[in-house]
Amino acid sequence: MTHVMNMKQMEQKLQKADRKQSLLYLFCNFMALMIISAYSALMFSPTVQTIFPEGGDSAKQMYMIFVMTLIGCVVFTIYALGLFFRHKSGQLGILMALGASRRRLAPGLFREVLVLSSTSAVAGIVAGFPFVWIIWQGFRLILVDSSEMVLSFDLKCLFVSVLFFLLVVGFACLMAWRYLRKTNIMEVIREEHINEPVKELGRWCGPVGLVLILIGAVMGYGTPFLCDEWFHMYPPSWLSIFYAPVLVGLYMVMLHTVVHGWRSHRKNPYKNIVSRSMMKFQGRQTVNNLIVVTLLIAGACFGIFYLPANGVSAMVRYANQAYDYFYHYRADQNVPDQEAVEALAGKYGLALKDWNECEYITLGMGQVSIIQEEDSNHYTKEYVVMNKEEKVLSEDAYRVLTGQDADVEPGTYMNITDTDETSLYTNNNAREFTNMVTRKQLDTEFAGYLHNNLLSDQVGCSVLSNEDYALISEGLTDDWKGRFVQFNIDGKDNYQFANEFYYLFVNSFDKSCELPYYYDRVQKIRDNEAGEVYWGDTEDMTEVSFEKLDSFSFRVFWVYQPQFRILSQNDFLRSVAVLFMMFLFICIVCMLTALVVCYTRCQTIALNNSYIFDDLKKLGASPEFLSKEVRSQCKNVFKVPTIIGMTAIYMFFIMILYANDGRMLWAEMLALLVCLGILGLLAVIVYAVYRVSVKTIKRQLGI
Amino acid sequence: MLYVKDLYKSYEVGKNKYPVLKGIDFHVEQGEFVAVMGPSGSGKTTLLNCISCYIPFEKGSITVGGVKLAGQNEETLANIRNTKLGFVFQDFMLLDGLTIRENILIPRIVQGEVNKEAEQLADQLATMFGISHILNKYPAEISGGEKQRAAVARSLINNPLIILADEPTGNLDSKSSRTVIETFGNAKAKMNATIFMVTHDSFAASFCDRVVLLKDGNIYRQLEKSGNRSEFQDELLDALKEMSE
């Protein structure tokens, strides 16, 4: 006898029979929620938030890729839901045809979609935390570890996940309601087999799409510069709208791929005709999928490019450093002298050579300053006396340090920049220097640049003639004076020595030097004298602490951070670990999502088109022919987004590097080469998943 | 039993409107076995779908067992489909996840009235149509002919006023087609079932009491069986030939 006794039991049995479809939907939802939950958990974690400078480029890049991933995951879950309902529609239609009313079907249908969507979403959100934890611990175990890499979570991260959860559940209910509202029952029954062709455009749409992508990238990247140049305005965030042609272009390129393909079929119009038509008649789904995957792959590449972009230039800089050891300190600090350093080096069997040291002074420098209007993005430029701190050397001191003559005329100054002239700030318009103790001013005029990599730092360093230097330094107290020191190791350097010297050096400073390089004492005096509180004395400024000598903020932002080559080379990854690992994580997450979407798409090809493959078999198609058709379908799913996503982001990256300073430095070219290698590696991973997908589909289709 | 008066229905594709039914008038009496024939695009399936309350129609009226379909709400139409109509589709439309017995019982389950009596009726129908041996099997495990006989049994489980069949032999070989048509005959003879069938198959139609020929959305001619089945099939073929000229 039958076990079916009522509607609920029948529905439960049908759900059990459809578990393959349900599992696919569960899997898609789970993956999307897990990825978003993991990404936001890491992004909002105190571990990352304390390292990423607020409003900095790295943070913007992280948020931008998050938005791309979020869009990708939203489209993906909607797609998965659509697939689920397409399959479900046949069953719903039959029950409607046999007299089940909307009211009769609603409880079961809503129960099913609510259970499926909410359990998978909750499971995904929860799984996001162990997922990110495991990956992060893996990084710590295999790649790099530091005290800053200890992962902690902030529950704020749940905000995005909960919003996504509501969207998933809400959309599932909306879709269920939409199906129940349908009056044409035949349409519901046939829904599963209804094709979704896209609106065809001519063969021009592909090339035009490529041009639009290019225009969008240039416009999106260039508009903020123009906004700054023309309107003296900090670019508002809505300017990102100028990137919109990229999306339109991407859609057109994908449409072209699906409708026409990129190969000419004139010679052999019947080649791949089956796979092309299969793609074409599920065009809407296919185009959506291709766009999502392209965005995700682009996001993954953009994330991973952060590593070579920053790592290669740092490594090149360390390798080309003129001296093994270079540092400076304030004259009122009790820093180890040459004898003490030599004694320490002797402990490690090292001898010092090329020891040079000389005095510098710190003056107030006049400068054209940017003043932002209140409650507005607009700014004005205005010359301000005593605008900033500047380290100043005499001609003689410069010669001692660099071995080069400066030849600075009295009444002028020369500013020191690096050999690539990448650190040309606005230090070329000072009309006077101010002794901050006596307030004596020295009228001056910019006389050009000098080049030295060690002396060009974020604070800035200039050179005065010996006469002017002597004149303006009169009456300066030790806290406005300092010394530059540089030396080499005779023979092979020793990391242990560098490390011990580093701690000895830092510990010799008192609390008054516990400052980041952007804490400007001249600005503070100016603001205080104007009765204002200097922003560096508020909580707005990121602090550095002698309690956290190994922290990223201390190593990067401390104003007297020494440059010890062996230490920098060995500790680089450790000091930027959180930044680098965050971007590596972003790459992994985006790539994983892209591959899951591709794999799922291939699965649906097998599910939706199985009857076509059956028909082809009946028509005598050989296993080889069928395999070719499967490969052709999957190839487009994997190949086109990979090529377009990788190429577009690589070109964009080249543009960024070039547009930064209007040229390409060789360190940047080296970084581009490394990026190319990474793209190759990612392409191999995509290819491997493609092979697995083809194998799985062939097994499912019995080929 | 079934009255169709001045029925109009058209489809819209983009901005274009295509009339499919252009004022159809006919009726089917209790216990009658009627077929509708006609070339592709003549409006056969659209007519059946309108009677089945699957798609809305624009003008005219359809009355089933004294109840007019136009203007009824969704709940009432669902109830009519469930209690007054029985359906047989070309592609069977059995639910793969249920056994044949459960499939036969679907209209009762939808009604919420599965009891011993319903189960016994399902078994009786299965016996009557020669499918009692497959009652515990799933659709994927049986032949097309068996699936269609199960579908006929399902259409009768609620003792409907009329069975609506859309190309019931369209997916079957000749042997299975014959069996299915005989099943309908059986239902008519033993249960006084009223059957309204859309078909392309003159052999299947020749089992009917009456055949309505449709052409371009209008009734072209109606033929009533007066002699034996074979003669009636010849008569049908002649009429179809005449219609296509």
Side-chain angles (χ1 to χ4, degrees):
Chain A
M1 279 287 144
T2 178
H3 300 293
V4 178
M5 294 304 290
N6 58 33
M7 190 83 174
K8 193 175 170 187
Q9 284 166 314
M10 181 184 73
E11 282 166 346
Q12 280 170 348
K13 189 164 184 193
L14 288 171
Q15 285 160 16
K16 203 174 162 191
D18 283 343
R19 63 184 175 276
K20 253 188 183 176
Q21 286 293 331
S22 305
L23 279 175
L24 186 66
Y25 175 60
L26 279 171
F27 172 72
C28 294
N29 251 357
F30 174 81
M31 283 304 292
L33 265 295
M34 185 181 77
I35 279 157
I36 291 304
S37 161
Y39 198 143
S40 50
L42 191 54
M43 193 167 68
F44 291 113
S45 75
T47 312
V48 167
Q49 285 293 318
T50 48
I51 298 297
F52 275 65
E54 205 180 318
D57 286 347
S58 305
K60 280 182 193 163
Q61 202 168 322
M62 176 176 75
Y63 291 130
M64 194 183 96
I65 304 174
F66 179 69
V67 171
M68 283 163 75
T69 314
L70 191 62
I71 292 172
C73 287
V74 168
V75 175
F76 181 52
T77 48
I78 292 173
Y79 162 71
L81 189 64
L83 278 182
F84 175 75
F85 270 100
R86 267 172 82 83
H87 181 79
K88 192 89 194 154
S89 64
Q91 197 183 91
L92 280 176
I94 291 173
L95 291 173
M96 283 177 178
L98 297 178
S101 65
R102 199 180 299 162
R103 214 170 56 186
R104 194 95 176 94
L105 290 171
L109 186 62
F110 278 109
R111 197 184 310 121
E112 185 179 7
V113 294
L114 272 173
V115 167
L116 286 179
S117 57
S118 57
T119 49
S120 58
V122 168
I125 291 172
V126 172
F129 290 91
F131 175 72
V132 71
W133 191 84
I134 289 167
I135 291 186
W136 199 256
Q137 293 309 109
F139 288 163
R140 291 181 70 184
L141 199 69
I142 300 163
L143 299 175
V144 58
D145 197 10
S146 72
S147 57
E148 290 178 314
M149 284 285 285
V150 175
L151 186 60
S152 57
F153 295 118
D154 184 336
L155 286 180
K156 208 163 60 181
C157 69
L158 284 174
F159 179 69
V160 180
S161 307
V162 168
L163 273 185
F164 198 6
F165 167 84
L166 292 175
L167 181 105
V168 165
V169 175
F171 207 82
C173 291
L174 189 76
M175 195 88 116
W177 182 76
R178 205 186 122 238
Y179 269 86
L180 290 176
R181 293 280 301 172
K182 286 191 177 180
T183 49
N184 188 334
I185 293 173
M186 291 318 288
E187 210 175 75
V188 181
I189 293 175
R190 309 281 176 211
E191 172 103 6
E192 198 179 359
H193 301 292
I194 290 173
N195 290 319
E196 297 181 303
V198 277
K199 196 177 175 187
E200 282 196 32
L201 296 174
R203 290 195 74 90
W204 52 267
C205 77
V208 169
L210 287 174
V211 173
L212 277 176
I213 292 176
L214 196 67
I215 290 174
V218 173
M219 269 172 46
Y221 189 71
T223 318
F225 291 105
L226 295 180
C227 182
D228 183 17
E229 191 70 25
W230 292 350
F231 304 110
H232 295 294
M233 191 179 160
Y234 292 115
S237 50
W238 60 260
L239 273 190
S240 309
I241 195 81
F242 282 95
Y243 279 111
V246 172
L247 285 178
V248 179
L250 198 57
Y251 178 80
M252 290 172 81
V253 167
M254 294 312 168
L255 195 67
H256 183 95
T257 306
V258 169
V259 175
H260 306 293
W262 288 92
R263 283 187 187 165
S264 169
H265 302 289
R266 277 183 203 157
K267 276 187 186 170
N268 190 355
Y270 300 107
K271 198 175 176 188
N272 294 331
I273 193 166
V274 178
S275 64
R276 271 192 288 131
S277 59
M278 270 195 254
M279 275 194 96
K280 214 165 157 177
F281 285 102
Q282 283 158 11
R284 228 174 288 164
Q285 284 179 22
T286 314
V287 170
N288 283 349
N289 265 266
L290 294 182
I291 291 174
V292 167
V293 175
T294 307
L295 282 177
L296 289 168
I297 288 181
C301 296
F302 202 45
I304 198 75
F305 283 0
Y306 183 90
L307 277 62
N310 291 279
V312 171
S313 60
M315 286 303 153
V316 168
R317 197 168 63 244
Y318 301 145
N320 294 334
Q321 193 171 304
Y323 283 85
D324 292 338
Y325 291 78
F326 177 85
Y327 55 92
H328 69 102
Y329 58 91
R330 235 164 61 179
D332 61 344
Q333 302 301 303
N334 191 22
V335 171
D337 59 9
Q338 184 175 358
E339 203 178 320
V341 180
E342 280 176 338
L344 182 65
K347 210 174 102 184
Y348 290 93
L350 298 172
L352 311 187
K353 64 174 185 179
D354 310 324
W355 183 285
N356 284 318
E357 63 173 279
C358 62
E359 184 199 67
Y360 71 85
I361 53 174
T362 303
L363 300 173
M365 188 187 200
Q367 197 181 37
V368 174
S369 179
I370 291 171
I371 297 161
Q372 190 172 353
E373 290 170 13
E374 259 184 52
D375 303 326
S376 152
N377 281 336
H378 286 274
Y379 63 80
T380 51
K381 287 185 177 176
E382 189 181 300
Y383 186 82
V384 178
V385 178
M386 295 196 309
N387 191 53
K388 67 176 283 278
E389 261 189 81
E390 179 81 350
K391 293 197 287 289
V392 176
L393 287 167
S394 68
E395 287 172 281
D396 285 348
Y398 182 76
R399 192 176 304 111
V400 168
L401 287 174
T402 65
Q404 293 165 359
D405 288 333
D407 291 333
V408 186
E409 293 293 318
T412 66
Y413 75 97
M414 293 183 88
N415 189 252
I416 302 171
T417 180
D418 61 350
T419 46
D420 289 327
E421 294 195 342
T422 53
S423 57
L424 295 176
Y425 299 109
T426 50
N427 297 347
N428 56 4
N429 48 36
R431 294 179 205 153
E432 73 290 303
F433 284 104
T434 305
N435 180 317
M436 296 306 293
V437 177
T438 64
R439 295 303 169 94
K440 185 180 173 183
Q441 289 192 336
L442 175 78
D443 290 338
T444 191
E445 203 178 294
F446 178 66
Y449 289 108
L450 294 164
H451 299 90
N452 185 280
N453 290 341
L454 287 171
L455 289 169
S456 62
D457 60 15
Q458 280 90 345
V459 174
C461 191
S462 293
V463 180
L464 289 175
S465 70
N466 289 337
E467 296 87 331
D468 282 349
Y469 182 86
L471 208 65
I472 194 68
S473 60
E474 267 177 27
L476 274 177
T477 50
D478 276 356
D479 56 330
W480 293 95
K481 288 179 182 175
R483 294 193 77 76
F484 279 117
V485 179
Q486 60 191 21
F487 63 85
N488 285 319
I489 297 294
D490 195 2
K492 199 168 175 247
D493 201 356
N494 181 311
Y495 176 83
Q496 304 302 329
F497 160 67
N499 203 35
E500 190 174 342
F501 180 34
Y502 177 78
Y503 290 111
L504 188 67
F505 174 76
V506 178
N507 289 329
S508 63
F509 284 79
D510 64 32
K511 277 293 221 185
S512 66
C513 292
E514 200 177 25
L515 301 169
Y517 65 74
Y518 38 83
Y519 188 97
D520 196 304
R521 289 185 293 161
V522 171
Q523 266 187 38
K524 174 188 166 67
I525 291 170
R526 202 188 66 214
D527 286 353
N528 290 165
E529 285 176 355
E532 292 166 7
V533 178
Y534 174 54
W535 77 280
D537 293 331
T538 65
E539 283 183 353
D540 291 345
M541 187 179 278
T542 309
E543 288 178 355
V544 294
S545 167
F546 285 152
E547 307 294 315
K548 296 174 182 170
L549 296 188
D550 294 328
S551 70
F552 169 78
S553 57
F554 190 83
R555 296 272 173 142
V556 174
F557 301 132
W558 186 45
V559 64
Y560 299 105
Q561 185 63 27
Q563 295 179 54
F564 298 172
R565 190 206 313 270
I566 195 167
L567 209 59
S568 306
Q569 285 174 330
N570 283 279
D571 291 354
F572 172 73
L573 194 58
R574 198 157 60 97
S575 58
V576 295
V578 174
L579 272 172
F580 272 39
M581 293 309 110
M582 176 69 202
F583 280 100
L584 183 59
F585 175 81
I586 287 172
C587 173
I588 291 173
V589 158
C590 286
M591 209 60 203
L592 190 67
T593 318
L595 293 175
V596 168
V597 176
C598 286
Y599 183 79
T600 313
R601 177 69 202 146
C602 290
Q603 289 284 307
T604 51
I605 287 173
L607 280 171
N608 291 348
N609 297 317
S610 56
Y611 68 100
I612 297 178
F613 285 96
D614 283 342
D615 289 348
L616 286 170
K617 268 186 219 169
K618 285 174 194 162
L619 289 169
S622 66
E624 199 188 328
F625 177 86
L626 295 172
S627 297
K628 208 177 104 225
E629 293 305 322
V630 170
R631 279 200 303 274
S632 173
Q633 282 279 299
C634 296
K635 208 185 274 176
N636 277 324
V637 173
F638 282 93
K639 193 175 79 176
V640 176
T642 305
I643 290 176
I644 293 186
M646 287 184 173
T647 311
I649 218 66
Y650 195 66
M651 305 289 278
F652 185 64
F653 196 57
I654 292 174
M655 187 180 77
I656 290 176
L657 292 182
Y658 183 78
N660 250 345
D661 48 12
R663 67 208 159 121
M664 197 66 89
L665 301 172
W666 80 271
E668 291 172 337
M669 285 197 261
L670 192 63
L672 280 172
L673 205 65
V674 175
C675 290
L676 205 60
I678 292 172
L679 289 187
L681 190 70
L682 292 179
V684 169
I685 295 171
V686 173
Y687 182 72
V689 179
Y690 154 76
R691 290 293 299 266
V692 172
S693 303
V694 170
K695 216 171 160 183
T696 313
I697 293 184
K698 279 168 68 177
R699 198 176 53 237
Q700 283 171 351
L701 294 173
I703 299 171
Chain B
M1 176 61 58
L2 169 68
Y3 291 90
V4 176
K5 273 200 176 305
D6 200 23
L7 189 69
Y8 283 85
K9 168 76 187 169
S10 54
Y11 291 115
E12 283 181 34
V13 180
K15 288 176 185 171
N16 299 324
K17 201 171 181 181
Y18 299 98
V20 183
L21 301 178
K22 303 169 186 170
I24 301 282
D25 276 299
F26 71 93
H27 72 276
V28 179
E29 294 297 336
Q30 167 75 42
E32 210 180 357
F33 187 2
V34 177
V36 177
M37 292 188 81
S40 296
S42 58
K44 305 182 297 291
T45 301
T46 302
L47 172 64
L48 191 76
N49 286 342
C50 288
I51 297 168
S52 311
C53 331
Y54 293 162
I55 54 173
F57 50 90
E58 288 150 25
K59 211 175 130 189
S61 74
I62 300 171
T63 310
V64 180
V67 180
K68 281 195 173 184
L69 298 187
Q72 299 291 353
N73 62 28
E74 195 269 343
E75 196 68 29
T76 312
L77 288 178
N79 191 45
I80 291 170
R81 278 198 296 271
N82 185 248
T83 56
K84 297 193 184 325
L85 305 175
F87 300 96
V88 179
F89 304 92
Q90 182 175 359
D91 42 8
F92 327 123
M93 301 247 182
L94 300 176
L95 292 175
D96 293 338
L98 303 180
T99 61
I100 296 304
R101 178 185 279 114
E102 289 161 344
N103 264 291
I104 293 171
L105 283 166
I106 289 176
R108 281 294 177 101
I109 296 167
V110 166
Q111 224 175 42
E113 288 179 7
V114 174
N115 48 27
K116 288 271 177 211
E117 174 264 318
E119 285 178 354
Q120 279 167 4
L121 179 58
D123 289 350
Q124 282 167 18
L125 287 167
T127 309
M128 189 190 298
F129 301 140
I131 51 170
S132 52
H133 61 291
I134 54 162
L135 277 176
N136 291 321
K137 290 194 173 183
Y138 286 88
E141 299 168 332
I142 62 174
S143 72
E146 287 170 329
K147 281 180 193 172
Q148 199 60 299
R149 278 182 280 156
V152 176
R154 181 180 65 183
S155 72
L156 287 162
I157 192 77
N158 268 347
N159 194 19
L161 295 176
I162 186 165
I163 296 173
L164 304 170
D166 184 11
E167 303 276 10
T169 57
N171 271 347
L172 302 176
D173 57 62
S174 57
K175 192 179 166 203
S176 301
S177 294
R178 187 174 189 112
T179 315
V180 168
I181 291 299
E182 281 170 0
T183 307
F184 280 131
N186 220 353
K188 176 176 150 40
K190 293 184 179 167
M191 302 173 75
N192 196 25
T194 310
I195 302 154
F196 183 70
M197 172 178 77
V198 163
T199 185
H200 262 112
D201 184 357
S202 61
F203 174 73
S206 66
F207 283 82
C208 297
D209 304 320
R210 182 157 56 97
V211 174
V212 178
L213 295 180
L214 276 191
K215 187 183 181 185
D216 301 331
N218 292 305
I219 292 180
Y220 175 77
R221 201 174 145 188
Q222 295 198 45
L223 291 100
E224 278 194 48
K225 185 156 76 178
S226 49
N228 64 26
R229 190 205 62 76
S230 175
E231 285 166 3
F232 190 41
Q233 187 179 10
D234 291 341
E235 199 181 335
L236 277 173
L237 288 171
D238 290 341
L240 288 169
K241 194 179 166 194
E242 185 191 304
M243 191 166 68
S244 62
E245 280 170 357

